[in-house]
Amino acid sequence: MPEAIVVLCTVPADFDAERLARELVERSLAACVQIGPGVTSVYRWQGALEKSAEKILLIKSRTGLFGALEAAIKARHPYQVPEIIALPVSDGHAPYLEWLAASTAG
């Protein structure tokens, strides 16, 4: 079975995250995208301490799709350096992982 990943991506609070999520699922780059409620991010950018209202996306995909997934996110994302971090799934409910693989088989 292909290796599952969860990709974390934050977007501005006013960004159309649902549109991006639909595109990723429609293109079979993701099996599911969860759009989390508002989060506050505190970070350093270009030497200054920043604070932003954001939403977090939890994107369920496969390792082999990461490059295409990253490119699709970057094509729509408004940030110069968007957060796109893939975390490996070490284990999980087998039927769910099978569904994830089937949903991203494209």
Side-chain angles (χ1 to χ4, degrees), residues 17 20 31 34-35 56-58 60 62 76 82-83 86 89 97:
L20 176 59
Q34 294 172 311
I35 303 168
I56 188 162
L57 281 64
L58 303 175
K60 285 44 159 274
R62 294 184 293 117
R76 290 208 177 275
E83 173 187 7
V89 174
L97 295 178

Side-chain angles (χ1 to χ4, degrees), residues 43-88:
Y43 55 95
R44 188 171 305 281
W45 177 248
Q46 299 180 338
L49 194 60
E50 300 285 341
K51 175 181 165 184
S52 297
E54 296 181 308
K55 294 180 228 176
I56 188 162
L57 281 64
L58 303 175
I59 305 164
K60 285 44 159 274
S61 188
R62 294 184 293 117
T63 302
L65 296 174
F66 181 76
L69 179 64
E70 178 185 31
I73 293 169
K74 287 172 32 180
R76 290 208 177 275
H77 207 291
Y79 291 167
Q80 183 180 354
V81 181
E83 173 187 7
I84 307 170
I85 299 172
L87 305 174

Side-chain angles (χ1 to χ4, degrees), residues 10-26:
T10 52
V11 296
D14 61 353
F15 181 78
D16 190 352
E18 187 173 336
R19 181 176 174 193
L20 176 59
R22 291 182 66 80
E23 179 182 326
L24 297 176
V25 173
E26 286 171 355

